[in-house]
């Protein structure tokens, strides 16, 4: 039995046993969430399809839909969502996102299944949002940035993804909250408060990219009222600017860094410039481009410094030779916006140099294709 087939049967059996059991245990549910995450990350469904072993895919999509429907239907007495701490909430959000990415969005769920899935995913997300808001789970004492980023990644996926409807139209999976309900914006504001005070350790380039991607999308979709007044006489936009520029003041934009372990298994920031993940840099460029367009002030020299550092990071990512055409286009969009806006302190010569480099690689990709 191949590894993809084994992993598929493992996931099917786990979901089947969970639904058959009269007592739904939270730990069993979280174990399945972790299996979904690992299954999506391993790209096993796509591997099965490439190998012509397609018998498992329809069964897995049906079982995943049934599993999520069952979880959403459990009453508070049967399944107390308020018992979940921040880490399990992050695991659940990652699993929800993984369900929609099992085959990278290609013919996993049918339109008929997606129509049924939409209210189910909305129901589970509502439970999570209410729990996050009521219990303020994103406390500064929570040390795992990944859990918070997983929540933002799921919400960002949800408000961007269009789902089919029975009438043949399309509607967003997640949208504005009904009157009296906690909205997505409230969770993003919680996350902003969390990341404004990082007493434990710096964010690496990959983590910073995920944060900027999520915040950039919520800003560009105008889900936050940037003119809303907050504490100390600031607007939300001003506070967001201060916090984001503070996060950019570390070394994550100077060279590509990721958290790892030293010889004594202590967490350390490691320079990974020789092994750059171009998508992580793409996430940064995408989020910063939205900030340049909708948030930052052209007279702010701190922004010019961020632009210069980002241009240098893009240069290193391009020179690594691993960036896809779609990624290069995101780099180009950021650089062209920075060049057009002329932020105070921007090194125009450097920007032009990197724009030329990106365009050269884009032309090369176009010629080769």
């Amino acid at each position: 039995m191949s590894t993809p087939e084994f992993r598929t049967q493992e996931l099917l059996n786990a979901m089947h046993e969970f639904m058959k059991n009269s007592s739904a245990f939270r730990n069993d549910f979280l174990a399945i969430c972790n299996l979904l995450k690992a299954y999506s990350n391993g790209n096993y469904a796509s591997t099965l399809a490439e190998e012509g072993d397609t018998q498992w895919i329809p069964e897995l999509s049906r079982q995943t839909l049934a599993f999520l429907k069952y979880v959403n239907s459990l009453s508070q007495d049967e399944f107390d969502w308020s018992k979940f701490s921040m880490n399990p909430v992050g695991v659940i959000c990652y699993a929800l996102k993984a369900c929609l990415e099992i085959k990278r969005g290609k013919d996993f769920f049918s339109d008929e299944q997606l129509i049924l899935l939409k209210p189910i995913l909305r129901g589970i997300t509502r439970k999570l949002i209410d729990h996050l808001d009521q219990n303020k789970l994103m406390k500064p004492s929570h040390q795992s940035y990944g859990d918070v980023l997983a929540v933002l990644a799921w919400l960002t996926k949800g408000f961007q993804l269009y789902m089919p409807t029975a009438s043949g139209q399309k509607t967003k999976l997640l949208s504005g909250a009904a009157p009296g309900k906690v909205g997505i914006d409230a969770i993003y504001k919680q996350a902003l408060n969390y990341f404004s005070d990082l007493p434990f350790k710096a964010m690496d380039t990959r983590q910073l990219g995920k944060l900027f991607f999520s915040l950039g999308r919520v800003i560009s979709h105008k889900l936050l009222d940037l003119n809303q007044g907050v504490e100390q006489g600031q607007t939300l936009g001003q506070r967001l600017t201060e916090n984001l520029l503070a996060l950019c003041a570390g070394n994550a934009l100077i060279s590509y860094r990721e958290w790892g372990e030293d010889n004594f298994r202590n967490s350390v920031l490691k320079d990974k410039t020789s092994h750059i993940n171009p998508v992580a840099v793409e996430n940064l460029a995408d989020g910063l481009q939205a900030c340049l367009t909708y948030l930052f002030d052209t007279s702010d020299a701190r922004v010019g410094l961020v632009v210069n550092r980002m241009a240098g990071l893009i240069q290193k990512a391009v020179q690594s030779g691993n960036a896809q055409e779609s990624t290069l286009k995101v780099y180009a969009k950021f650089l062209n916006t920075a060049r057009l806006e002329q932020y105070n302190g921007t090194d125009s010569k450097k920007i032009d140099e990197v724009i030329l480099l990106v365009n050269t690689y884009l032309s090369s990709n176009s010629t080769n294709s």
Side-chain angles (χ1 to χ4, degrees), residues 91-109:
V91 170
I92 296 166
C93 285
Y94 204 121
L96 295 178
K97 187 170 180 285
C99 288
L100 295 175
E101 297 176 347
I102 282 182
K103 283 192 70 181
R104 302 299 184 259
K106 298 177 181 176
D107 59 26
F108 181 64
F109 291 116

Side-chain angles (χ1 to χ4, degrees), residues 45-92:
S46 295
T47 302
L48 286 174
E50 290 167 2
E51 295 174 351
D53 190 2
T54 58
Q55 61 175 321
W56 298 105
I57 307 304
E59 184 177 353
L60 183 59
S61 65
R62 287 192 297 269
Q63 189 82 310
T64 303
L65 174 59
F67 166 70
L68 293 172
K69 180 180 179 181
Y70 177 73
V71 170
N72 188 47
S73 69
L74 294 172
S75 68
Q76 181 68 14
D77 290 338
E78 294 173 300
F79 202 74
D80 188 355
W81 291 82
S82 67
K83 298 294 185 182
F84 287 118
S85 62
M86 186 63 224
N87 175 254
V89 169
V91 170
I92 296 166

Side-chain angles (χ1 to χ4, degrees), residues 155-288:
L155 296 181
T156 302
K157 176 85 173 178
F159 73 69
Q160 293 186 113
L161 182 65
Y162 282 89
M163 304 278 277
T165 65
S167 64
Q169 304 297 313
K170 288 186 178 293
T171 183
K172 286 185 177 181
L173 172 56
L174 303 178
S175 54
K181 296 285 188 179
V182 178
I184 291 174
D185 61 324
I187 305 305
Y188 277 90
K189 289 173 186 174
Q190 266 198 52
L192 177 60
N193 290 335
Y194 173 80
F195 284 109
S196 67
D197 182 16
L198 298 175
F200 304 107
K201 59 184 180 182
M203 299 182 77
D204 65 19
T205 309
R206 182 179 49 85
Q207 293 169 326
L208 196 62
K210 288 181 178 181
L211 176 61
F212 266 89
F213 179 84
S214 292
L215 289 175
R217 291 305 171 95
V218 79
I219 290 169
S220 60
H221 281 74
K222 296 180 170 59
L223 295 183
L224 294 176
D225 180 3
L226 298 178
N227 294 317
Q228 176 189 357
V230 292
E231 66 272 11
Q232 298 176 341
Q234 286 185 314
T235 65
L236 179 60
Q238 289 170 332
R239 181 161 177 249
L240 186 57
T241 295
E242 293 299 317
N243 289 339
L244 292 182
L245 290 177
L247 288 171
C248 289
N251 292 324
L253 295 183
I254 297 175
S255 62
Y256 186 84
R257 294 166 184 260
E258 288 189 8
W259 281 101
E261 291 184 343
D262 62 15
N263 293 334
F264 301 98
R265 303 189 70 81
N266 297 313
S267 293
V268 293
L269 266 177
K270 294 188 174 182
D271 190 324
K272 296 282 188 177
T273 303
S274 59
H275 297 89
I276 289 179
N277 179 350
V279 175
V281 180
E282 176 187 351
N283 287 338
L284 265 170
D286 188 285
L288 279 169

Side-chain angles (χ1 to χ4, degrees), residues 297-315:
D297 191 319
T298 56
S299 64
D300 194 332
R302 296 173 300 172
V303 178
L305 178 60
V306 168
V307 167
N308 295 337
R309 288 181 172 180
M310 190 64 209
L313 190 60
I314 288 174
Q315 183 179 37

